[in-house]
Amino acid sequence: MAKASEMNNGGQSGNGEPYFCKECKRNHTKGKIYKDHLKFAWFEIDKKEIEEESESNEKELESEVEEIFESLEEEEDYIIELNEMEEELELELDSDSGSDSNEVIINDANVSVEAVKKLPGVGEATLKKLIKAGFSSLESIAYTPPRIIQNESGLGDKTTAKLIKASMSQLKIGFKSAEDVWEYRKNITRITTGSQELDDLFGGGIETGCVVEFFGEFRTGKTQIAHQLCVNVQLPEEDGGLNGNALYIDTEGTFRPERIIQMSEGLDLDHKKILKNIIFGRAYNSDHQILLVKEATNLIKEKNIKLLIVDSLIGHFRSEYVGRGTLAVRQQTINTHLHDLLRLTDIFPELCIIVTNQVQSKPDVFYGNPTVAAGGNIVAHGSTIRVYLRKGKGEQRVAKMIDAPHLPEGEAVFSITENGITD
Ligand code: ADP
Ligand code: MG
């Protein structure tokens, strides 16, 4: 507490000079002690006393603080409980609206949850465990290995096996006629790359329902293609887009909104809207990267994601797993990660996945043919297309189709300009 004398002299008057004291409402002489001002001094004494007292009672206070923390923790538990109850309530409300035939269900995610809920043996508790682990659709259950469902949801092996079997039978997964496969392939849509030649190499643009890998040396245009596709996927179908949004997992820190703005302007698009529809995740290590892909499962339907980018796929794995002894584990982890991605194309056939890979020289020694590695239900309609990029003259780049189940080998020349990818 500042003294009144100090408050009122404004630092102007010297000793012996008069000044008006606002507290006492009369004139004082600077330097003199006034009786009324003792009450201000008293406050200071009081503060000291409190401090002394608090020092002697420190232990008491500490235990008090502990108690407060404990009660806060209890409160936190209570809030978590409340949230869970709220979630449950929401689920119930969803099911209520679902049974009302006049009501239009806007959220697709609820529709798939409803289907899971109707599986035999799925009660509230099982449903909650499945949703919490990210298995909120029949597809995600049918296409995921039982071991993973068990580990992530905490459900028993018998329950898991039953759920997978029921999901598969509802989705009519098993042998099918070539006609059915053709029916599926007819529904495949494509995103334009911005270059007619490059689109032709892919048979008319980059198709949905598969993982496309662009690999090549540094500065060959992998990241630029990824940026361009994030813009182009948002175009209407008649303009070569999918009318959808993009999810970009950046492992190298090379995502540049500035480039998105330039590319949007090159197509006369509102760059603010384009930027808003690109969900961005920076992966700081391989574990984080794996986690982001798992989280993506829940975002795809909710955010109308039609394109998922992982730029780059194995950079982190390469720097984290060094030395000969780690090679096997590294390959296994990459393989599982790639399977996670392939599974996404099975769960969401309308999704296009692009991964990039940096290579020094021969690409083939890097890891085995992922199409071969991808087994089980995944090969049924998931596939991997590999394209090798190299530098041409100036801004030109050459793309070579290396590995595609249904596309002829060939090459395309395209350019990287300020406005993005063109012929
Ligand atoms: P990487 O294959 O390593 O991911 P990038 O996709 O980042 O390579 O490509 C980098 C190349 O893209 C640069 O060397 C340059 O040729 C081209 N590029 C980047 N930004 C622009 C721009 N604003 N205007 C024209 N070309 C650009
Ligand atoms: Mg790059």
Side-chain angles (χ1 to χ4, degrees):
M1 172 97 191
K3 290 189 186 84
S5 57
E6 281 165 12
M7 290 200 295
N8 292 302
N9 70 16
Q12 302 278 319
S13 47
N15 269 1
E17 278 183 53
Y19 67 90
F20 183 74
C21 174
K22 277 186 187 163
E23 311 286 328
C24 308
K25 306 251 184 311
R26 63 191 170 98
N27 279 336
H28 284 341
T29 306
K30 168 89 175 148
K32 261 186 164 179
I33 294 168
Y34 290 88
K35 205 177 133 198
D36 283 349
H37 289 185
L38 288 176
K39 65 182 178 212
F40 303 130
W42 184 83
F43 274 116
E44 290 204 335
I45 293 163
D46 187 42
K47 211 172 112 193
K48 270 187 197 146
E49 268 173 12
I50 291 169
E51 267 165 21
E52 271 161 24
E53 210 179 334
S54 69
E55 251 166 46
S56 70
N57 289 337
E58 217 164 44
K59 276 185 189 161
E60 222 173 274
L61 263 172
E62 264 174 28
S63 72
E64 241 174 65
V65 167
E66 256 172 45
E67 254 174 53
I68 290 170
F69 269 108
E70 261 169 35
S71 71
L72 273 176
E73 261 168 33
E74 262 172 39
E75 200 162 346
E76 218 165 52
D77 283 348
Y78 180 57
I79 287 170
I80 291 170
E81 242 175 65
L82 266 181
N83 282 343
E84 276 176 10
M85 271 158 70
E86 219 166 63
E87 263 173 40
E88 252 177 49
L89 212 72
E90 255 169 38
L91 282 174
E92 267 171 38
L93 283 175
D94 286 344
S95 75
D96 283 346
S97 66
S99 62
D100 187 347
S101 57
N102 290 327
E103 202 154 329
V104 182
I105 300 161
I106 302 159
N107 191 347
D108 261 5
N110 292 342
V111 180
S112 40
V113 168
E114 275 306 299
V116 175
K117 202 178 174 184
K118 281 183 192 136
L119 287 174
V122 174
E124 280 295 334
T126 309
L127 187 68
K128 233 167 97 176
K129 280 181 187 170
L130 285 168
I131 291 171
K132 240 183 178 167
F135 302 104
S136 49
S137 64
L138 292 182
E139 287 88 346
S140 63
I141 296 169
Y143 289 119
T144 307
R147 183 177 40 83
I148 296 179
I149 298 183
Q150 262 171 259
N151 286 349
E152 288 177 16
S153 69
L155 292 170
D157 53 349
K158 273 185 191 156
T159 314
T160 308
K162 245 169 66 184
L163 287 176
I164 293 176
K165 205 176 158 199
S167 301
M168 284 178 89
S169 92
Q170 288 213 14
L171 292 170
K172 300 189 174 63
I173 296 173
F175 282 112
K176 52 180 107 182
S177 70
E179 199 186 1
D180 289 341
V181 179
W182 174 233
E183 210 46 53
Y184 174 89
R185 290 213 45 94
K186 270 204 301 201
N187 290 330
I188 283 173
T189 46
R190 293 165 192 281
I191 312 174
T192 177
T193 59
S195 150
Q196 185 64 49
E197 249 194 70
L198 195 54
D199 283 357
D200 290 345
L201 186 71
F202 282 95
I206 297 181
E207 63 185 56
T208 54
C210 70
V211 176
V212 177
E213 177 192 342
F214 285 100
F215 65 95
E217 287 173 41
F218 182 55
R219 292 189 152 248
T220 48
K222 304 179 293 289
T223 300
Q224 298 301 314
I225 291 177
H227 279 62
Q228 186 72 61
L229 290 170
C230 284
V231 177
N232 292 5
V233 71
Q234 299 185 41
L235 292 168
E237 282 177 27
E238 59 268 27
D239 293 337
L242 298 178
N243 231 331
N245 302 331
L247 205 155
Y248 200 110
I249 299 177
D250 182 11
T251 75
E252 295 179 332
T254 50
F255 178 77
R256 293 288 177 277
E258 298 92 304
R259 283 300 278 151
I260 299 292
I261 293 172
Q262 285 175 335
M263 290 167 175
S264 308
E265 279 165 2
L267 289 168
D268 274 333
L269 299 168
D270 173 8
H271 64 79
K272 270 192 194 155
K273 222 174 114 192
I274 300 291
L275 280 174
K276 214 173 122 190
N277 290 335
I278 302 172
I279 297 176
F280 173 80
R282 172 84 164 93
Y284 292 97
N285 55 50
S286 63
D287 283 337
H288 192 200
Q289 182 180 334
I290 290 167
L291 211 86
L292 283 177
V293 167
K294 288 194 194 297
E295 272 177 25
T297 318
N298 298 324
L299 284 173
I300 289 164
K301 244 181 188 165
E302 196 186 311
K303 306 275 183 194
N304 188 30
I305 303 293
K306 296 280 175 74
L307 172 71
L308 169 65
I309 306 266
V310 184
D311 181 27
S312 73
L313 183 71
I314 44 186
H316 281 317
F317 294 94
R318 239 168 139 189
S319 57
E320 286 168 31
Y321 295 82
V322 268
R324 280 183 150 234
T326 62
L327 193 70
V329 185
R330 182 181 91 179
Q331 296 309 93
Q332 209 176 347
T333 318
I334 293 172
N335 196 39
T336 311
H337 184 47
L338 199 61
H339 264 76
D340 283 346
L341 289 168
L342 281 164
R343 199 177 309 121
L344 283 181
T345 65
D346 249 335
I347 300 172
F348 308 103
E350 291 179 338
L351 179 72
C352 174
I353 298 183
I354 304 287
V355 302
T356 70
N357 245 332
Q358 213 197 92
V359 291
Q360 252 91 41
S361 52
K362 272 186 115 185
D364 307 44
V365 295
F366 216 61
Y367 67 88
N369 183 343
T371 320
V372 175
N377 290 310
I378 286 152
V379 241
H381 36 236
S383 62
T384 303
I385 295 173
R386 306 183 80 197
V387 176
Y388 177 59
L389 296 177
R390 65 170 197 271
K391 278 190 182 176
K393 269 190 206 156
E395 58 189 24
Q396 284 192 337
R397 299 289 185 275
V398 184
K400 185 176 167 47
M401 187 61 67
I402 297 286
D403 199 346
H406 60 286
L407 295 168
E409 280 188 23
E411 284 194 348
V413 181
F414 64 94
S415 303
I416 309 172
T417 68
E418 182 164 334
N419 282 341
I421 308 292
T422 58
D423 271 317

